[in-house]
Amino acid sequence: MKVSDAIEKIRRDLVDTLEQLDRWFDLPAGSLTYKPRDGGWSIREVLEHITLTNHFLMIIIRKGKEKALKRYEQGKVPHGETDLDRLASIARPDAFSWDRPEHMEPTGNVPVEEIRATLHKQQKQCLDILDALSAGQGTLYHVRMSVQNLGKIDLYQWMYFLVQHQKRHLVQLEKILQEWRR
C-alpha cells in the first residue's frame, strides 16, 4: 500500500476506533464494572488495559519517530510503501492466543474519566506523529514486534498495530456487555 494511503487509513481508523471506544464510557456504572462469568476483565478494566498497551506502544513509536526523522534529515529516502494487511489478524480476538505482559494488566483503580482522557490524549499523539511522518519517514525505522512473530515492522505498522489492538478489544467489550444484559 502506498504510504500516503496507509497514513490516511491509519488516521481514519484511529478516529473511528476512538469514537467507538468513547461510547463505552457513557454506559451505566453497573455495566462498566460487571465481571464476566469466565473471570475476565470488566469493561472498565478492558478500557484501562487499552490505555496501558497504548502507553507502551507509544514509547516505541515516539522514539522511532525521532530516529526516522533524523535519518530523513541525513538524506535517507523513504520507501514508498508499507504493508498494513499483515496486521489484520491483530484485530480478531480468536485469531491467536495472546499473553499480555503483566505491566499491561489493569489495576481497576484508575477513574473512568481519567481513562477516557488518556485515550483522547493518546489518539492526538498518534495523529500528531502521523503528521510529522507525512513524507513517508515512518518507513525509515523498523522495530521488532514479537506478537504473532511479526518481526521488524515500520512505524506506520506500529501505529496500525495500536489501532488493531483497540479493535480487538471492541469485540471483547461487546461480548461483556451482551453477557451483562442477559
Side-chain angles (χ1 to χ4, degrees):
M1 168 182 292
K2 284 183 176 178
V3 168
S4 58
D5 294 338
I7 290 170
E8 285 313 306
K9 179 170 183 46
I10 296 165
R11 184 181 312 283
R12 279 191 316 271
D13 285 3
L14 274 166
V15 170
D16 180 58
T17 303
L18 180 65
E19 285 176 7
Q20 291 179 55
L21 286 170
D22 206 45
R23 294 181 196 131
W24 290 93
F25 292 96
D26 297 326
L27 293 173
S31 63
L32 287 172
T33 58
Y34 170 76
K35 295 285 253 183
R37 288 186 293 274
D38 66 5
W41 294 335
S42 68
I43 290 171
R44 178 184 171 159
E45 289 170 325
V46 170
L47 293 167
E48 181 185 351
H49 163 73
I50 292 169
T51 64
L52 290 168
T53 303
N54 288 354
H55 170 77
F56 289 103
L57 293 172
M58 294 290 295
I59 289 171
I60 293 166
I61 293 167
R62 281 191 302 271
K63 286 180 181 178
K65 176 193 91 168
E66 297 308 319
K67 291 178 181 181
L69 290 174
K70 189 172 188 170
R71 289 177 181 176
Y72 184 69
E73 289 168 7
Q74 293 170 345
K76 300 242 186 212
V77 178
H79 305 288
E81 297 198 3
T82 185
D83 183 6
L84 300 183
D85 291 338
R86 62 189 287 226
L87 301 164
S89 67
I90 304 303
R92 296 191 312 266
D94 300 329
F96 61 96
S97 107
W98 196 339
D99 294 324
R100 78 211 145 268
E102 193 173 309
H103 60 276
M104 293 183 191
E105 290 187 18
T107 63
N109 298 325
V110 180
V112 173
E113 285 308 312
E114 186 177 326
I115 296 169
R116 187 181 223 170
T118 299
L119 276 173
H120 282 264
K121 180 181 166 191
Q122 290 169 335
Q123 182 211 43
K124 177 158 181 5
Q125 289 173 352
C126 279
L127 293 172
D128 289 346
I129 290 169
L130 279 174
D131 288 343
L133 301 176
S134 64
Q137 302 97 320
T139 63
L140 295 175
Y141 189 74
H142 292 75
V143 181
R144 182 168 305 285
M145 171 57 75
S146 60
V147 175
Q148 276 298 83
N149 296 315
L150 287 170
K152 287 192 169 191
I153 60 176
D154 69 35
L155 294 177
Y156 302 114
Q157 292 167 321
W158 271 86
M159 283 188 270
Y160 198 61
F161 182 97
L162 183 146
V163 172
Q164 295 295 84
H165 174 259
Q166 291 178 348
K167 288 180 180 182
R168 177 184 190 90
H169 286 296
L170 283 168
V171 175
Q172 180 186 10
L173 292 170
E174 192 58 47
K175 287 179 181 177
I176 297 167
L177 184 60
Q178 287 174 7
E179 182 178 311
W180 177 77
R181 287 182 171 157
R182 279 188 239 145

